[in-house]
Amino acid sequence: MTSMKTETISAAPTPNGQGKKLFIKTYGCQMNVYDSERMAEAMGSDGYTQVDSAEAADMVLINTCHIREKASEKLYSDLGRLRKLKKDKPDLKIGVAGCVAQAEGAEILRRAPQVDVVVGPQAYHRLPAMARAALAGHTQQLDTDFPAEDKFDNLPKARAARGPMAFLTVQEGCDKFCAFCVVPYTRGSEVSRPAARILDEARALVERGVRDITLLGQNVNAYHGAGHGAGHGAGAQGDLTLAGLIRALAKIDGLLRIRYTTSHPNDMGDDLIEAHGEVPQLMPYLHLPVQSGSDKILKAMNRKHTAEQYLRQIERIRAARPDILLSSDFIAGFPGETDSDHAATMDLIRQVRFGAAYSFKYSARPGTPAAEKAEVDNDVADARLQEMQALLSSQQYALQAAMVGREVGVLYEKAGRLDAQLVGKSDHLHAVHVIDPAGKIGELVRVKITASVTNSLKGQRIG
Ligand code: 5AD
Ligand code: SF4
């Protein structure tokens, strides 16, 4: 892992960001969206306010994602545009964050001399200091160190909640080393936050009006944090499982809904499955990526489970919580995938019936074991992806349509486009539109679903 700094940040009085404007462009997963919000907060404490275009900004931060193809191409084309902008606005500061920064930091500085700051996901708490140094004239700073201190605790505690739903990071990194994936390299090994800190942060979010918290982690169901009152040290690992953490969170008054993402099938412990049946706040939605339905491909992916084992897990989860909506990730065209491997994936999809899904064409990520292998023909991979997506969308619409006539909880999130209309998420994470003149944002109401339209449901408030 890269671990170097090309600049030391001077201790002399340096200008802060008072009155300055920050634009963050975010690529990738929820983890990145969350990180961007926390960087915005950290920079906010240093005086920056957020704007929504590079043109209006004094500093532009690109939060990159490395997980699938074209990440660095996108970055360099963004940086090309920013170089032009910097010609007109010489004081513009440019920063690169995220997984591409982590993986290719030195290369970014070499190829893009206009960049002032490159900061990896483990060093975000040092971003304000780096921005100050940039204002003081230090360019080409690189910090992709893994933290000596506890990264989590150097970032603002709870972000300013902008609505009743929020993310809360409980775990970072991944030790699974799926053969296609860069996460274990860019995000490092698994670290769980101690429960006491998570509970404090959750309480603070609830005080700010949050009612629905999604616990985030690259491999969240492998969570093993130090329990309440146990070690508070940096990255302290303990024996509290995700199920234990969820049960502790469920005791917080005013926290009405708990979700978590993203999970590995091998970490669906019995206690977590039981929690799905027993904890009313734990919502009936589970994102459990399987990637492929072929045992040969699962083995080559280093997933360490078979299709049958995945299906058995799904059976157990459905036995605990019959109305759970399942979601998954799939990869089409992994090296060595034949027509019959693809058929096995289609078969698994038919057996499970997914309510939501994300499917991707395989893309070789440099440095991963799969990148050494011969690739499947591009047109073949495209065709398989399309076939898979057609089936997954038809399942998604069918399960959405099956909600018509049912009564669900809806947490109002924002005003809709129509008069007196509110939009919120159902227990199953469907978007639901309700005409409710008396309703308020942040309220959890009972709704009878009356119609299913393309990407959302309509309903009537019944309680
Ligand atoms: N190619 C295609 N898809 C990938 N994913 C991760 N790495 C790759 C890759 N190299 C997908 C997996 C994972 C999701 C977050 O991104 O399906 O679950
Ligand atoms: Fe990547 Fe997820 Fe596999 Fe970890 S479990 S290596 S994050 S795909």
Side-chain angles (χ1 to χ4, degrees):
M1 202 56 60
T2 7
S3 175
M4 56 185 193
K5 278 181 202 154
T6 53
E7 288 278 339
T8 33
I9 294 160
S10 75
T14 43
N16 65 17
Q18 212 53 54
K20 300 229 176 280
K21 300 200 163 39
L22 173 71
F23 172 59
I24 307 185
K25 180 163 184 180
T26 307
Y27 289 103
C29 64
Q30 284 170 334
M31 219 61 202
N32 262 17
V33 173
Y34 179 86
D35 281 350
S36 288
E37 286 175 0
R38 303 216 91 189
M39 285 190 275
E41 264 201 18
M43 295 289 279
S45 320
D46 224 38
Y48 285 86
T49 51
Q50 256 185 295
V51 291
D52 53 16
S53 77
E55 286 70 24
D58 301 295
M59 178 165 190
V60 176
L61 195 58
I62 305 173
N63 192 2
T64 58
C65 171
H66 204 221
I67 203 154
R68 286 177 294 275
E69 64 193 332
K70 299 203 180 82
S72 28
E73 285 91 325
K74 276 187 213 150
L75 171 65
Y76 288 112
S77 77
D78 282 352
L79 288 176
R81 275 193 295 276
L82 290 173
R83 191 189 46 207
K84 288 195 196 115
L85 190 63
K86 199 166 178 164
K87 278 204 182 115
D88 300 332
K89 280 173 68 173
D91 289 338
L92 180 73
K93 304 296 173 215
I94 301 174
V96 181
C99 294
V100 182
Q102 185 68 40
E104 301 170 18
E107 171 73 5
I108 294 169
L109 291 180
R110 200 182 56 74
R111 281 183 58 180
Q114 69 274 30
V115 170
D116 299 281
V117 170
V118 171
V119 59
Q122 311 289 327
Y124 289 158
H125 55 288
R126 294 191 284 259
L127 178 63
M130 294 175 87
R132 283 185 179 212
L135 289 174
H138 294 260
T139 61
Q140 294 258 292
Q141 303 172 58
L142 175 71
D143 191 343
T144 47
D145 275 355
F146 276 49
E149 339 77 294
D150 184 351
K151 170 205 166 194
F152 292 117
D153 291 312
N154 285 293
L155 282 172
K157 284 284 170 287
R159 71 183 173 87
R162 262 178 241 128
M165 294 182 76
F167 294 114
L168 173 49
T169 297
V170 304
Q171 178 275 338
E172 268 248 39
C174 181
D175 296 335
K176 292 281 189 285
F177 290 94
C178 297
F180 51 81
C181 184
V182 288
V183 166
Y185 309 97
T186 53
R187 294 279 176 155
S189 57
E190 285 173 12
V191 181
S192 298
R193 298 178 71 190
R197 300 225 175 103
I198 297 168
L199 291 166
D200 283 349
E201 199 169 322
R203 279 187 211 101
L205 286 168
V206 169
E207 263 166 42
R208 292 169 191 217
V210 168
R211 298 288 170 260
D212 181 323
I213 292 185
T214 300
L215 307 176
L216 271 189
Q218 252 101 29
N219 206 359
V220 72
N221 60 344
Y223 176 83
H224 50 286
H228 215 70
H232 284 218
Q237 307 291 287
D239 53 11
L240 187 76
T241 61
L242 185 65
L245 180 66
I246 288 169
R247 287 183 192 272
L249 285 160
K251 295 199 181 110
I252 298 178
D253 260 355
L255 178 55
L256 307 177
R257 291 168 150 188
I258 303 169
R259 310 169 187 275
Y260 61 92
T261 195
T262 178
S263 297
H264 192 286
N266 290 356
D267 291 317
M268 282 310 293
D270 291 346
D271 61 342
L272 187 53
I273 295 177
E274 266 165 34
H276 274 285
E278 292 173 6
V279 179
Q281 292 91 332
L282 185 55
M283 287 294 103
Y285 183 101
L286 175 64
H287 182 65
L288 193 63
V290 64
Q291 316 293 358
S292 169
S294 150
D295 288 345
K296 182 192 93 192
I297 295 298
L298 287 168
K299 192 163 197 312
M301 286 176 163
N302 193 33
R303 292 288 293 179
K304 298 202 170 84
H305 62 79
T306 62
E308 191 56 31
Q309 283 165 335
Y310 181 84
L311 292 170
R312 293 291 79 80
Q313 286 283 40
I314 298 295
E315 257 174 26
R316 292 170 57 227
I317 295 159
R318 281 194 166 134
R321 183 78 206 231
D323 71 334
I324 200 158
L325 188 141
L326 293 159
S327 158
S328 178
D329 293 340
F330 297 92
I331 295 179
F334 185 80
E337 187 186 73
T338 62
D339 284 342
S340 74
D341 295 320
H342 169 65
T345 304
M346 296 292 286
D347 203 41
L348 179 140
I349 296 172
R350 275 184 215 102
Q351 289 189 58
V352 175
R353 286 172 291 113
F354 290 95
Y358 304 86
S359 45
F360 314 99
K361 186 167 70 170
Y362 170 74
S363 71
R365 311 314 297 135
T368 59
E372 311 290 314
K373 304 211 182 132
E375 287 188 36
V376 167
D377 177 85
N378 192 41
D379 292 344
V380 171
D382 273 335
R384 287 181 189 157
L385 181 66
Q386 274 183 29
E387 204 189 334
M388 208 152 76
Q389 288 182 338
L391 176 59
L392 288 164
S393 317
S394 72
Q395 293 190 339
Q396 184 174 333
Y397 291 130
L399 289 187
Q400 194 185 289
M403 300 304 294
V404 176
R406 285 180 55 179
E407 290 173 13
V408 294
V410 174
L411 179 65
Y412 289 146
E413 256 190 293
K414 56 182 182 199
R417 259 175 291 161
L418 304 181
D419 223 20
Q421 190 185 48
L422 288 163
V423 192
K425 290 286 182 334
S426 74
D427 305 333
H428 300 91
L429 218 49
H430 287 123
V432 184
H433 291 75
V434 185
I435 304 287
D436 182 0
K440 288 189 195 68
I441 290 171
E443 207 178 354
L444 178 63
V445 298
R446 296 296 297 167
V447 168
K448 182 162 182 166
I449 301 299
T450 53
S452 172
V453 290
T454 321
N455 280 316
S456 62
L457 295 167
K458 287 183 183 165
Q460 260 167 12
R461 180 167 178 176
I462 50 170

